Amino acid sequence: MSLKHLTPDELHPLLNDPSLLLVDIRNDHELVSGILPGALHVPLGNLTAVFDQLPQDKKIVFYCRSGVRSVAAGEFALAQGRTDVSHLAGGILAWANAGLPISAA
């Protein structure tokens, strides 16, 4: 199983999918720029501690600022046995550049 790379335009229509778990793995101080609608905030440094508490029946999409840390989070999730794991290529920067909605954190 490999990590799926989603573009902002591919992810946007999936935000209303109830089987999707969107996880923002940026650090707390990075949230001043906003968060994607419906996202759960779990800083990357805390992911290993809370990973088992994430719903097992959801497709996970990780995102960060630029798409680097979300790859690491996705690879971690795959190593833990999760199979439907994606990340937002280009991160929230690419999302914003595409003119897509960002909510206040």
Side-chain angles (χ1 to χ4, degrees):
M1 208 44 63
S2 63
L3 183 64
K4 297 180 202 84
H5 305 274
L6 296 175
T7 66
D9 288 337
E10 291 169 333
L11 176 59
H12 186 246
L14 302 177
L15 291 185
N16 294 324
D17 182 345
S19 68
L20 182 88
L21 177 64
L22 184 60
V23 182
D24 184 327
I25 59 157
R26 295 176 298 156
N27 294 316
D28 292 344
H29 71 274
E30 294 177 279
L31 297 186
V32 296
S33 62
I35 190 168
L36 298 192
L40 173 68
H41 178 234
V42 179
L44 182 59
N46 298 351
L47 185 61
T48 56
V50 302
F51 188 76
D52 290 341
Q53 298 167 28
L54 298 179
Q56 295 293 315
D57 60 340
K58 302 274 189 183
K59 299 177 274 193
I60 300 178
V61 178
F62 293 105
Y63 76 91
C64 60
R65 182 176 175 274
S66 64
V68 175
R69 289 172 287 174
S70 58
V71 169
E75 296 293 345
F76 169 78
L78 290 170
Q80 300 307 304
R82 297 298 287 267
T83 55
D84 203 339
V85 182
S86 307
H87 91 108
L88 175 58
I92 198 169
L93 293 177
W95 183 270
N97 286 339
L100 295 168
I102 296 175
S103 301

